[in-house]
Structure formats: C-alpha cells, structure tokens
Amino acid sequence: MQMTFRWYGDGNDSITLKQIRQIPGVKGVVWALHDVPVGEVWPFERIEEVVKQANKYGLNSDVVESVNIHEDIKLGLPTRDQYIATYKETLKNLSRFGVKVVCYNFMPVFDWFRTDLFKEMEDGSTALYFDATKVHSLSPEQVVKNMKENAKDFSLPGWEPERLKDLQRLFGLYKDITEMNLLENLTYFLKEICPIAEECGIKMAIHPDDPPFPIFGLPRIVKNKEDIQRLLSAVDSPSNGLTFCSGSLGVNPSNDLIDIVNSFSDRIPFAHIRNIKHFEDGSFIESSHRVEDGSLPITSIVNALYKNGFSGYARPDHGRHIWDEVCRPGYGLYDRALGAMYLLGAWDTNVLLRDNLLAKKPLHTV
Ligand code: DNO
C-alpha cells in the first residue's frame, strides 16, 4: 500500500507540499488540474508543472483525482464521442508523466454532497454531515446554494461552477435516463477508454456514488457490491477498476465493506479510507478515522487489503476540522495526517506480525 494525500495545487490549497512531505509514510500526492473545464484536454505543460512540483518534494504524482466526465457522455448524447476523444488525449498526456491511476465518477449532475460542511461535534471540532431528514426538504437549487454558502470561499471538488450553471436543463435531460441507460453509457465510455488506458499503463478507478442512493430522482449505478460486479464485468479489462471508498459505500449499513474488498481486490488500484458515524434516521457524520469514533470497521478494512496483497494507492479521506484550522471542507491538514498515521499503524501491525511470524525474529532492540 502506498500512502498518498490529496493536494489541490499551488495557489489552490492552503496546505503545502513541504507539509505533506513531513507526514510520515506519505509517498505521493493525489492531484488534478481543477481549473481545466470538463471536456477539455489537460495540457501537457500544465501536467508537467504539477509533476515537477511534487517531485521536488520527493512526492510522486501517480494518482489523479479526478478527470471529470462530461455530462454528454453520461447522458449518451451524440456529442459524447468528441468528449471521449479528448478524454483519451488527456490520458495519453498523463501517461507521459507516469500517471498510473485515474479516479473518476459517473454520478449525474452532482458529485458527492452533504447538508452541512462544518457541523459542530462534541469535542468542538467540525465535520461534514449529512442530515437525512433535511435533505428531503431541499431542492437541487437549494443544495447547490447551501454547498456554496457553506464552503467558506473554498472551491469544492465536484462542485465546479460550470457544472452547475444549467441545472434545470440538466435535470430535464436526465428525466428519462434509467439506471440501465446510465450503465449502458458507462459501458460505452469504458469500452472506448480501457484499451487506450491499457496502452498507457493507466488504471481507471471509478468512485462509488456518495451517498450511495439515488438523489433528486437521478439514477445512481455504483452503490453496492452488485453494481460494482456489474460494471467491472461489463468491460473485463485490468484498466477497468474501482476506487474503494469506505466512507461512500459505508453510508449504507448493508454494504459489507470487507466482503467488497475481498471480492474485488484485484480490481482496486486506489482506496479512500475514512470512517463515518451512522445515526438512526439515516443521517451520518464524518468522524475521525478511528474505529471507536465511527461505525465502520476501518482497521479490518486495512487488514483485508493487506491480506489480499494490496499494492495500490490509498489516501486518508475527508478529515474533521480540528485545532482551529481554517481549511477546505474535509481537506484540512491535521485530521487527514492523523488519519494517514492511523491507517499506516494498522498496516504496519500486519507487516510486523507477518515478519515476526515468518522470520521468528525479535522486535528491534535499542
Ligand atoms: C469528495 C470526493 C469526490 C471524489 C470524486 C471522484 O471529496 O470524494 O469529489 O473526488 O467523486 O471522482
């Protein structure tokens, strides 16, 4: 497992590469050109710039999150082919700089969303929160407004202004799109993309829907084990992979996260590992990564990855906002660094147990 850390880029992140490099065990940054409009080719020089910046701090830039998918592709419109062609060009450009994994999602209109971005917790920290009751009273426009107002002037991944400018029209276009249609459109995309990705040595890693259920009548197709099975077998290529995201899949208590890791381990090039705490009404809060603080079996997930020989990339996912840090919602330095250490602690315990059992040698002595 290679530990990584999401970084929004120079001038777009309050967190520096110097800081990231000082988190023990972090080997690379997960990055994107957030300002390139969806559907445009990522320019070679811009990619080179980020890669060089990361390398200067001894960090790799092997994982990109996300190259977003144009709505015309998700909708299966005749114009999709031109956007698929630009996507291929972007993959080629990324591969020239050794990018190995491209995370993306196929959620219509919205990416992830929460009702509160700075919900106060008992210990005085704040965290992302999803209020299952409140969400029913919100219209899509209110959700967008809410996210924007809540974000405290930080840009949010997946909430790029250009994506949201034409909400009514988009909702109209999705009116007759069923889950099956959306899956067909994903399959069409993957059939085109995977051969190029294979040539480029890139693994495509789809991110589950967050939350993993339909919202505002929009179809969702990456919600559970059956969906994952369906999409992975729709295009049987090593480049058709999954971003295992515990916090997204884990919103649904009937998703068995360990079983999902065990079932698809050879198709998981990238893992987002974080905890959430469920409430009885279906609401959830993004707690610290520690098992005791939330509802998800985080250490067992790490153990399952280990046992399956996971050699891909992982990152701590959203963190709480602690120690008065002023930061992008979910993406501060401190709690994510704690998360990385927790995950590495769980991983290293496995390594230590294996090494001691196999070699029967004592632990280091000073
Ligand atoms: C939010 C993220 C998502 C994720 C995309 C992947 O914090 O988990 O925006 O990056 O869904 O394409």
Side-chain angles (χ1 to χ4, degrees), residues 174-285:
Y174 275 107
K175 202 163 54 65
D176 299 320
I177 302 279
T178 62
E179 277 199 10
M180 262 312 154
N181 300 140
L182 192 61
L183 180 67
E184 274 160 24
N185 297 341
L186 172 61
T187 307
Y188 181 97
F189 168 74
L190 285 170
K191 280 194 173 143
E192 285 287 323
I193 290 295
C194 286
I196 306 293
E198 279 184 43
E199 270 169 33
C200 291
I202 288 181
K203 300 221 161 113
M204 298 296 295
I206 195 164
H207 190 283
D209 302 330
D210 183 5
F213 44 76
I215 49 165
F216 306 118
L218 296 168
R220 300 280 227 188
I221 52 169
V222 199
K223 310 177 293 300
N224 52 36
K225 184 179 176 186
E226 292 66 40
D227 285 359
I228 296 168
Q229 182 68 65
R230 208 165 50 164
L231 80 90
L232 292 181
S233 38
V235 180
D236 192 18
S237 151
S239 285
N240 178 17
L242 169 74
T243 298
F244 171 82
C245 178
S246 62
S248 304
L249 291 164
V251 168
N252 181 351
S254 48
N255 277 337
D256 180 341
L257 300 177
I258 311 295
D259 179 43
I260 292 178
V261 170
N262 289 335
S263 307
F264 306 115
S265 64
D266 58 334
R267 300 287 281 275
I268 300 177
F270 186 31
H272 290 176
I273 316 178
R274 69 177 155 87
N275 211 342
I276 56 169
K277 185 174 182 178
H278 293 137
F279 297 100
E280 268 177 23
D281 66 347
S283 303
F284 64 90
I285 193 148

Side-chain angles (χ1 to χ4, degrees), residues 6 8 65-66 68 103-105 107 111-112 157-158 207-208 210 245 248 272 274 315 317-318 331:
R6 196 169 193 184
Y8 285 90
E65 177 178 349
S66 311
N68 286 327
C103 172
Y104 71 104
N105 70 79
M107 291 177 249
D111 194 325
W112 65 286
H207 190 283
D210 183 5
C245 178
S248 304
H272 290 176
R274 69 177 155 87
R315 69 170 179 82
D317 207 354
H318 308 158
Y331 287 100

